């Protein structure tokens, strides 16, 4: 039914552009909108930038255009009836098949169909036709009185919202069905120390919670495990991480006799505004991840668990304090007897647009018998996922 309605309306539209028709034209809703109400209760809405864009429709030979649309709409209807999808989008390229002729370079037809294969059409069907970059047509049957409505868009407005939605959904499905996909994320969170033991001087390694920040830049690759559509992935990829350990209780890291300890300032009355140890590492995770999507192709729930290995790239301490009315900053680079190699467990969980992570180092931060013994726990939120 849509097909037989669509072709006469297109014919009337093109005739309206070339001559003065008998259809009654309603007042324009705005400068680039023309609304035409036809005797059979169908309504056409025409969007144009200027009069020259409207005249572009004259470049098409009416009979040839009608035959093309008739053929392509028939193919789209057949594909829609045999499909279980809510909508089917097909693209045709007449200019390639008929070089030298004045035909559209592209025709895109979207059939909206909520019926099961082989069953009669239900109310609420909609057909979108986009002809090149010139104009588009939407035929919609209402779900109440069964009337058909037609919307025609010209120029930059040719793509209907439904076509844009279909394209976004198609792109999301294409990304979801890749065997290997990549992404860049940023982990932002805090560091805590667990399983702490007293250092050689009998002092516990206590951190200032909000000053002990963690940030990492992650280039991740998800490798699908199983057939197309499987939600299971193997995740890996390099991570550049920065761990800050901000000391509390006015203490600082001191490396003497190849042993790292915690000490109070030697200068009387000095208070450290900041006293921290900064460590940069390169990590490689290996996790099994699950990613589920909703009926619109959007990621709805994600979870992953596995392990990681890492190597220390650099480290330094930094002190900030007041002296004689001036702010002083002392930075000292060195290994401070930190473990060069790290390994541990990590996990992620995400719902909609929110992703959380946690990482637990199985080995100690410092080398055995050469520094305070404790293990790092990092946790926070993942951005740009």
């Amino acid at each position: 039914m849509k097909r037989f309605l669509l072709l006469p309306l297109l014919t009337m539209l093109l005739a309206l552009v070339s001559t003065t028709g008998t259809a009654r034209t309603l007042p324009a809703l705005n400068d680039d909108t023309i609304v035409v109400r036809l005797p059979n209760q169908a309504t056409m809405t025409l969007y144009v930038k200027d009069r020259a864009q409207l005249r572009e429709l004259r470049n098409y030979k009416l009979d040839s255009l009608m035959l093309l649309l008739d053929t392509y709409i028939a193919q789209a209807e057949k594909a829609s009836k045999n499909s279980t999808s809510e909508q089917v989008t097909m693209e045709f390229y007449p200019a390639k098949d008929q070089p030298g002729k004045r035909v559209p370079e592209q025709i895109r037809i979207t059939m909206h169909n909520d019926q099961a294969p082989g069953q009669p059409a239900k109310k609420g069907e909609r057909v979108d036709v986009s002809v090149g970059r010139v104009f588009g047509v939407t035929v919609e049957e209402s779900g109440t009185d069964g009337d058909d409505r037609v919307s025609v868009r010209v120029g930059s407005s040719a793509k209907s919202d439904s076509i844009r939605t279909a394209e976004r959904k198609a792109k999301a499905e294409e990304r979801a069905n890749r065997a290997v996909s990549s992404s860049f994320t940023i982990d932002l969170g805090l560091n805590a120390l667990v399983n702490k033991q007293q250092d050689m001087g009998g002092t516990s390694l206590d951190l200032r919670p909000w000053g002990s920040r963690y940030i990492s830049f992650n280039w991740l690759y998800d490798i699908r495990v199983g057939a197309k559509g499987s939600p299971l992935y193997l995740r890996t990829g390099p991570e550049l991480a920065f761990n800050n350990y901000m000391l509390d209780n006015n203490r600082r890291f001191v490396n003497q006799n190849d042993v790292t300890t915690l000490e109070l300032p030697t200068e009387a009355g000095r208070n450290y505004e900041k006293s921290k140890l900064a460590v940069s590492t390169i990590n490689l995770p290996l996790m099994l991840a699950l990613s589920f999507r909703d009926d619109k192709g959007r990621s709805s729930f994600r979870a992953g668990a596995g392990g990681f290995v890492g190597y220390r790239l650099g480290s330094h301490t930094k002190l900030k304090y007041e002296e004689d009315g001036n702010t002083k900053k002392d930075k000292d680079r060195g290994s401070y007897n930190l473990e060069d190699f790290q390994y541990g467990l990590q996990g992620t969980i995400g719902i909609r647009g929110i992703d959380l992570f946690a990482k637990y180092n199985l080995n100690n931060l410092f080398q055995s018998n050469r520094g305070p013994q404790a293990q790092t726990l990092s946790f926070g939120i993942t951005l740009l996922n």
Side-chain angles (χ1 to χ4, degrees):
M1 174 197 171
K2 299 292 184 296
R3 187 166 135 224
F4 296 113
L5 174 65
L6 179 60
L7 296 179
L9 287 175
L10 282 171
T11 303
M12 296 180 68
L13 170 65
L14 295 176
L16 181 65
V17 174
S18 303
T19 62
T20 301
T22 59
R24 182 167 57 93
T25 303
L26 300 181
L29 298 181
N30 52 50
D31 292 342
D32 60 355
T33 304
I34 302 172
V35 179
V36 181
R37 189 179 302 279
L38 301 175
N40 64 353
Q41 301 303 314
T43 301
M44 295 186 297
T45 306
L46 182 66
Y47 300 94
V48 293
K49 286 184 177 179
D50 48 38
R51 188 175 300 175
Q53 192 179 67
L54 185 63
R55 292 196 182 106
E56 289 184 31
L57 294 178
R58 297 178 180 178
N59 294 331
Y60 292 90
K61 191 174 180 180
L62 181 60
D63 294 341
S64 299
L65 184 57
M66 293 302 99
L67 290 174
L68 277 176
L69 290 177
D70 189 21
T71 302
Y72 294 149
I73 292 173
Q75 295 181 35
E77 282 183 333
K78 183 177 179 181
S80 177
K81 291 178 181 178
N82 295 330
S83 174
T84 58
S85 301
E86 294 180 0
Q87 63 184 36
V88 173
T89 299
M90 301 183 68
E91 293 185 355
F92 307 92
Y93 299 90
K96 293 183 179 179
D97 299 332
Q98 305 178 43
K101 293 187 177 181
R102 190 178 294 279
V103 293
E105 62 182 59
Q106 181 195 62
I107 295 179
R108 181 191 297 109
I109 300 176
T110 300
M111 305 292 296
H112 301 261
N113 187 5
D114 56 0
Q115 71 183 75
Q119 297 297 319
K122 297 179 181 179
K123 298 294 184 181
E125 287 188 63
R126 188 168 69 254
V127 179
D128 296 316
V129 181
S130 175
V131 183
R133 289 190 294 269
V134 180
F135 67 93
V137 179
T138 298
V139 178
E140 182 172 0
E141 183 179 5
S142 71
T144 55
D145 54 10
D147 290 340
D148 291 316
R149 295 187 175 92
V150 176
S151 175
V152 182
R153 293 175 172 83
V154 176
S156 60
S157 300
K159 280 188 179 180
S160 66
D161 293 338
S162 59
I163 293 179
R164 293 190 183 96
T165 301
E167 290 179 342
R168 287 194 295 266
K169 184 176 180 179
K171 289 180 180 179
E173 290 178 351
E174 189 273 333
R175 288 193 298 267
N177 290 324
R178 291 175 184 171
V180 179
S181 59
S182 61
S183 61
F184 173 76
T185 64
I186 298 176
D187 288 343
L188 184 64
L190 300 173
N191 287 315
L193 293 176
V194 296
N195 301 325
K196 295 183 292 184
Q197 302 177 20
Q198 292 183 344
D199 70 354
M200 302 303 174
T203 303
S204 177
L205 183 55
D206 296 325
L207 298 181
R208 189 180 302 174
W210 296 109
S212 301
R213 293 180 290 272
Y214 172 89
I215 184 172
S216 71
F217 303 95
N218 317 308
W219 292 264
L220 300 177
Y221 294 88
D222 288 337
I223 305 170
R224 185 186 301 280
V225 179
K228 180 180 178 180
S230 170
L232 183 63
Y233 296 86
L234 184 66
R235 176 169 296 173
T236 188
E239 299 178 349
L240 183 60
F242 301 90
N243 293 77
N244 284 303
Y245 302 95
M246 187 79 70
L247 286 177
D248 206 356
N249 300 323
N250 203 35
R251 300 183 182 274
R252 62 174 180 168
F253 289 100
V254 177
N255 190 22
Q256 293 181 341
N257 301 321
D258 206 22
V259 175
T260 300
T261 58
L262 304 177
E263 294 185 0
L264 292 168
T266 56
E267 298 79 2
R270 174 174 294 179
N271 292 309
Y272 294 128
E273 184 178 340
K274 290 183 179 180
S275 175
K276 73 173 185 178
L277 171 65
V279 184
S280 60
T281 60
I282 182 74
N283 301 323
L284 183 68
L286 185 63
M287 296 193 298
L288 281 176
L290 287 170
S291 180
F292 298 97
R293 297 182 178 274
D294 58 20
D295 54 1
K296 295 183 179 180
R298 298 175 300 186
S299 181
S300 58
F301 176 77
R302 303 166 297 280
F308 71 92
V309 293
Y311 181 77
R312 183 180 63 87
L313 299 177
S315 54
H316 67 270
T317 59
K318 183 177 181 180
L319 300 174
K320 182 178 179 181
Y321 55 90
E322 294 286 335
E323 184 177 81
D324 299 329
N326 298 317
T327 300
K328 299 287 186 179
K329 296 180 181 179
D330 297 339
K331 183 183 290 187
D332 182 27
R333 299 187 181 277
S335 68
Y336 283 85
N337 299 305
L338 292 162
E339 288 282 5
D340 288 333
F341 289 95
Q342 301 177 12
Y343 58 92
L345 304 174
Q346 69 179 62
T348 62
I349 188 170
I351 301 176
R352 295 296 184 186
I354 301 177
D355 288 83
L356 305 177
F357 76 92
K359 299 180 68 174
Y360 173 60
N361 287 47
L362 293 176
N363 63 330
N364 288 314
L365 180 62
F366 294 90
Q367 299 176 30
S368 179
N369 298 322
R370 299 180 65 180
Q373 297 300 285
Q375 294 163 294
T376 301
L377 175 64
S378 306
F379 54 92
I381 189 170
T382 298
L383 307 177
L384 302 180
N385 195 8

